[in-house]
Amino acid sequence: MNERVWPSGAATAIGSMPGTDPAEAAAIVFGELPDFPHLPELPARGVGADMLGRTAALLVDLAVDVVPSGYRVAARPGHEHRRAVDLLRWDLDALQEAREKAGVTPPVFKVQLAGPWTLGAGIELPRGHRVLTDHGALRDFTSSLLDGLTGHVAEVQARTGAPVVVQFDEPSLPAVLAGGLSTPSGYGNVSAVPEPEARDLLATVIDGAKAITGQPVILHCCAAKPPLGLLREAGADALAFDLAALDGASAAFLDEIGEVWDGGATLFLGAVPTTAPASPLTLKDVGEPAFRLADRLGFNRSVLAERAVPTPACGLVGATPDWMRRALALSRDLGKAFVEPPEGW
């Protein structure tokens, strides 16, 4: 497996973007993030285009339907499941067309999907309980997800000509670990999942993705205090989180960041706000927290060029089109600043 396939100084985005036009989104990604483009997600298109529906479209021999409470396991693919599959296919067509128009083969290309715990938390069994409450069902979903990922990666490689890196999104993981998910009645909570159990399942999908791609695997968690140590122990090569999570962070959390960084992990630092701020931002405004983090943890600032990738703080679905372009441009320019910090930084 390659230790790092993305170029030093590259920047990328988390996944989601505003709008409903996959051709426009793909063209913007190749234009603004040429060294580390990703497959855009456009949740504004509705059911099937969100993170859960999009991931469900990859499942093999498993189907979901839409009920008032969300996605639910179905006996066979219905209209919503087929729509999710179609949307993903249109996105891949748009991706290939944008790459051909750009006339380039990127050094690396990123795809995103929901991790097993977020998938198991967000999809219901036929009786309304979450998939993660049934160990057998959770294993089936995990196996099906990896089967689907195999074909997805092969298709993306064929359409881009680039090595493919997988990012698992786990926004629900902290609630899974804390017992913060509600039961179907709404009057109770699902029992907390022990950390060893959570780690083992994550290790299964991480190992599986590495075997499929031969590339590092990224774990993204946008929670206030993401469990970075657990994700690293599960085998994640790179950890993506919002730099704002460091505001008021405890010494223990900072130590956790230092340990995973010192242990060789790459940090995907969410440095750029996902929506336009009240006052204009400069490159130095978005870059200072990353440089300050390296200083606080006692690292030479060269670690940012070696083992950091700037990104927006999270997905950009809530951004205006203008801010989305600005956020991607700031991320790209910050990647260059990691390699050659401007004078005075």
Side-chain angles (χ1 to χ4, degrees), residues 252-343:
F253 184 55
L254 289 172
D255 286 345
E256 188 175 7
I257 296 173
E259 288 174 6
V260 298
W261 217 1
D262 191 46
T266 296
L267 300 186
F268 281 56
L269 299 173
V272 182
T274 56
T275 55
S279 302
L281 283 179
T282 66
L283 180 61
K284 188 174 182 180
D285 292 331
V286 298
E288 278 188 333
F291 284 88
R292 193 162 55 243
L293 176 63
D295 294 342
R296 289 173 69 184
L297 297 178
F299 289 98
N300 189 298
R301 287 184 166 192
S302 62
V303 73
L304 293 168
E306 296 163 359
R307 295 203 305 278
V309 175
T311 72
C314 201
L316 293 169
V317 63
T320 63
D322 285 346
W323 179 252
M324 176 265 294
R325 288 179 180 270
R326 175 68 174 151
L328 297 182
L330 282 169
S331 299
R332 182 192 65 234
D333 292 345
L334 183 54
K336 294 182 173 65
F338 282 178
V339 177
E340 294 185 15
E343 188 174 349

Side-chain angles (χ1 to χ4, degrees), residues 28 40 85 136 166 178 180 196 211 222 248 292 294 299 302 310 345:
I28 290 170
V85 172
V166 173
C222 53
R292 193 162 55 243
F299 289 98
S302 62
W345 282 35

